[in-house]
Each structure stands twice: as structure tokens, then as C-alpha cells.
């Protein structure tokens, strides 16, 4: 995650102070750790969607922790307590970068899994519990963590090869297209379904079905907000990678690349926004977090 090519244009490099990274890392780690604990402690949250949310929060927590550790290494190296070219420091830096790559990929695939889960919930509601069993959910999470861990290692080992960077960018954009297509299809069908309900006479409407449909659509809207936040936070960084490959020496491209630290700060702040979205949009999770923070005795809190 280091900017290996120096800015050779007249645009001054934008430097984000280390305290900003430390603040983002500390707050986002605390938020996501609380989400993971909340999902584990509350049996009402032991469902596929919340398992995927827990996975997303765990990836965010790892990213926050490792990014904070990387900033600490930079501070110690700047004051002379660490040798930037030392073998142990280089190995530790590679391990941190691998964890960061794993966490960023895992966050993306977790959101993709949540989107697919919401799609099944809305349009295959009667078969949902047969399709999304906890065993399948565990298998999906195992695949996500294994694949992302392997890709995180491979991307750092071979990141100097342009092919790896190209694959990373292509993977990002293909995933964006898949999620966007899924959402367009989902909301088109939802619009058709809403029109059918509105066309029914008042006596023929099933209020329970309408309430469940409204709850599912609210869940889909929450995932849409998560996806929009991801796009806003991640796009500048991936555009930065595209610029490195397409025009590495162009002065205008160099001006954009001078914003590298700002792009990294925006990327890491994604872990800061997601827990706030959960807490605001999901009542059960919000209630659990409130009990954890405000009640001294969990069992006495209702």
C-alpha cells in the first residue's frame, strides 16, 4: 500500500497527518469489534444476513488494526527506531499489507454475499430457509476467508507484476457490475410487485405479507447504502491504480497521484461508516448495541 513512485510533477503531495489515521483506525476498530460481539452474543442475530454482517465487521476490524500498526511502524521509522530496509521490518510490512489486502477484498465479497442474501430473501421468501441454511452460510464464509487470505498473500508477493494489479482492478469492476446488475433487477421486480399489491382490493391484501415485504425491502435499501458507501470510499483508490498503469509519467496523472494518502484515508474510513449504517438502519442490532453499552448486567436488560 506504499506509494512506490515519487510524485515528479509540480503538484505538491497531499500528506494526511498520522493522528488522522490513528483516529480512524481506533474508532473504526472499536465500532466493528462491538458489532462482532453483538452478533455473537445475541441469539436473535444468528441468521445468515447477520453472519455476513459479522464477517464484514471482522474484516473491517482487521483492516483498522493492521493499518494502525503500519502507521506506528512509519512513525518509528521516521524517528530512527526502525530500519526501513531491514529484513524483519520488510517481512512485517509485507504481512501487514497482505492482511490489508485480505481485509479489503473480504469487505467487498461480504457485501456481495449480503446483497445475494437480500435478493433471495425478497424473491424466494418461501424457500429462503432451505436455500440459505446456516451450514451453507458457514461454507460461504469459509470460502470467502480462504480465498481472500490467499489472494492477499499472492497480491503482495507479485504486486510488482503489472498483471496482478490489472487483475485486482478488473476484479473490482466486475464485482461492481455484478452488484449493480443485481440491484437493478431487484428493484425492478420490487416495483412490479408493489404495483400488483396496489392494484389489489383492500380486502384482498395480506397485511402480514405487506409488512414482511416492507421489512425485506428496508434490508435491501440498507445494503444499497452500504454498497454506495463502498463505491464512494474505494473508487478514488482504484482509479489511482488505473492511472499508475495507464499514464505513469503524465504530469496530469501525477497530480492525481499526489492525492494518494487522501485516497488511502478515504479507503480506510469505509470501516468507520459501515457500523454507523448498521446501527441506524437495523433495529435489532441497534437494540443489542445499546444494551451492551448502557447496561452493566446483560441478563437484566430487556
Amino acid at each position: 500500500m506504499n506509494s512506490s513512485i515519487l510524485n515528479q510533477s509540480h503538484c505538491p503531495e497531499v500528506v494526511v497527518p498520522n493522528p488522522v489515521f490513528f483516529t480512524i483506525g481506533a474508532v473504526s476498530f472499536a465500532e466493528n469489534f462491538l458489532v462482532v460481539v453483538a452478533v455473537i452474543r445475541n441469539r436473535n442475530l444468528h441468521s445468515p444476513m447477520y453472519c455476513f454482517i459479522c464477517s464484514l465487521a471482522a474484516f473491517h476490524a482487521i483492516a483498522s488494526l493492521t493499518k494502525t500498526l503500519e502507521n506506528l511502524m512509519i512513525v518509528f521509522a521516521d524517528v530512527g527506531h526502525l530500519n526501513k530496509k531491514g529484513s524483519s521490518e520488510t517481512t512485517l510490512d509485507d504481512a501487514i499489507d497482505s492482511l490489508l489486502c485480505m481485509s479489503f477484498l473480504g469487505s467487498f465479497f461480504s457485501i456481495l454475499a449480503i446483497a445475494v442474501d437480500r435478493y433471495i430473501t425478497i424473491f424466494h421468501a418461501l424457500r429462503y430457509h432451505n436455500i440459505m441454511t446456516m451450514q451453507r452460510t458457514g461454507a460461504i464464509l469459509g470460502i470467502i476467508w480462504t480465498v481472500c487470505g490467499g489472494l492477499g498473500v499472492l497480491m503482495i508477493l507479485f504486486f510488482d507484476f503489472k498483471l496482478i494489479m490489472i487483475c485486482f482492478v478488473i476484479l473490482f469492476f466486475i464485482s461492481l457490475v455484478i452488484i449493480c446488475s443485481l440491484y437493478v433487477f431487484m428493484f425492478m421486480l420490487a416495483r412490479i410487485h408493489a404495483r400488483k399489491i396496489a392494484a389489489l382490493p383492500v380486502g384482498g391484501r395480506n397485511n402480514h405479507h405487506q409488512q414482511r415485504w416492507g421489512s425485506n425491502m428496508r434490508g435491501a435499501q440498507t445494503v444499497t447504502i452500504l454498497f454506495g458507501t463502498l463505491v464512494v470510499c474505494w473508487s478514488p483508490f482504484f482509479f489511482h491504480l488505473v492511472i499508475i498503469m495507464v499514464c505513469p509519467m503524465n504530469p496530469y496523472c501525477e497530480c492525481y497521484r499526489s492525492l494518494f494518502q487522501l485516497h488511502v484515508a478515504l479507503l480506510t474510513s469505509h470501516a468507520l461508516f459501515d457500523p454507523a449504517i448498521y446501527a441506524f438502519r437495523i433495529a435489532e442490532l441497534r437494540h443489542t448495541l445499546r444494551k451492551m453499552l448502557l447496561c452493566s448486567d446483560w441478563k437484566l436488560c430487556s
Side-chain angles (χ1 to χ4, degrees):
M1 291 310 209
N2 299 322
S3 55
S4 57
I5 302 176
L6 296 176
N7 177 26
Q8 299 175 356
S9 70
H10 295 293
C11 299
E13 183 177 2
V14 176
V15 178
V16 178
N18 280 319
V20 173
F21 283 112
F22 286 133
T23 302
I24 294 174
V27 176
S28 60
F29 176 79
E31 288 180 343
N32 287 284
F33 181 75
L34 284 174
V35 171
V36 172
V37 173
V39 173
I40 292 173
R41 293 186 66 172
N42 188 346
R43 293 184 178 273
N44 293 331
L45 300 179
H46 292 181
S47 65
M49 185 190 75
Y50 290 110
C51 288
F52 293 135
I53 288 178
C54 183
S55 173
L56 177 60
F59 278 121
H60 281 332
I62 293 173
S64 302
L65 196 61
T66 50
K67 182 58 184 172
T68 302
L69 180 58
E70 183 181 54
N71 288 327
L72 280 173
M73 289 181 61
I74 293 173
V75 170
F76 286 137
D78 289 341
V79 298
H81 293 305
L82 286 178
N83 181 10
K84 293 182 179 180
K85 301 298 183 179
S87 59
S88 58
E89 288 84 356
T90 302
T91 302
L92 180 58
D93 184 63
D94 288 342
I96 289 173
D97 287 343
S98 294
L99 287 172
L100 283 172
C101 289
M102 180 197 76
S103 301
F104 293 145
L105 289 170
S107 300
F108 202 88
F109 285 124
S110 294
I111 289 180
L112 178 60
I114 295 171
V116 173
D117 176 80
R118 289 297 87 195
Y119 174 83
I120 297 173
T121 302
I122 294 173
F123 297 109
H124 301 280
L126 297 179
R127 299 174 53 216
Y128 174 77
H129 293 291
N130 293 327
I131 298 173
M132 292 301 299
T133 63
M134 290 303 292
Q135 289 79 9
R136 287 179 179 171
T137 301
I140 293 170
L141 290 175
I143 292 172
I144 289 175
W145 280 82
T146 302
V147 170
C148 292
L151 289 176
V153 173
L154 290 176
M155 288 176 61
I156 297 305
L157 291 177
F158 302 103
F159 197 75
D160 290 337
F161 294 89
K162 185 175 287 188
L163 179 61
I164 294 295
M165 195 182 300
I166 292 173
C167 291
F168 191 33
V169 173
I170 290 176
L171 178 65
F172 174 73
F173 285 109
I174 288 177
S175 301
L176 283 184
V177 170
I178 292 173
I179 296 179
C180 286
S181 302
L182 189 65
Y183 278 125
V184 169
F185 184 63
M186 187 187 305
F187 284 106
M188 284 177 62
L189 291 180
R191 188 176 180 182
I192 294 172
H193 185 84
R195 287 179 177 177
K196 289 181 179 178
I197 293 177
L200 291 174
V202 176
R205 298 179 186 179
N206 189 321
N207 290 331
H208 176 71
H209 178 72
Q210 285 182 274
Q211 291 176 356
R212 187 177 64 181
W213 175 265
S215 176
N216 289 338
M217 286 307 300
R218 181 175 174 83
Q221 291 169 0
T222 300
V223 183
T224 305
I225 295 172
L226 291 174
F227 176 64
T229 304
L230 180 144
V231 171
V232 171
C233 293
W234 285 42
S235 294
F237 177 80
F238 277 90
F239 189 56
H240 181 97
L241 295 182
V242 172
I243 282 179
I244 291 177
M245 294 182 291
V246 174
C247 53
M249 302 305 295
N250 186 289
Y252 295 104
C253 295
E254 289 288 340
C255 283
Y256 184 82
R257 287 175 52 197
S258 67
L259 304 174
F260 176 78
Q261 289 196 24
L262 193 61
H263 299 156
V264 173
L266 185 61
L267 180 66
T268 54
S269 66
H270 178 230
L272 195 66
F273 299 137
D274 278 0
I277 296 172
Y278 311 146
F280 181 74
R281 298 281 303 180
I282 304 176
E284 182 69 29
L285 185 56
R286 182 171 62 250
H287 180 62
T288 304
L289 290 171
R290 185 184 297 117
K291 287 198 298 184
M292 289 173 55
L293 294 173
L294 300 180
C295 295
S296 57
D297 190 336
W298 171 269
K299 294 181 180 180
L300 295 178
C301 297
S302 59

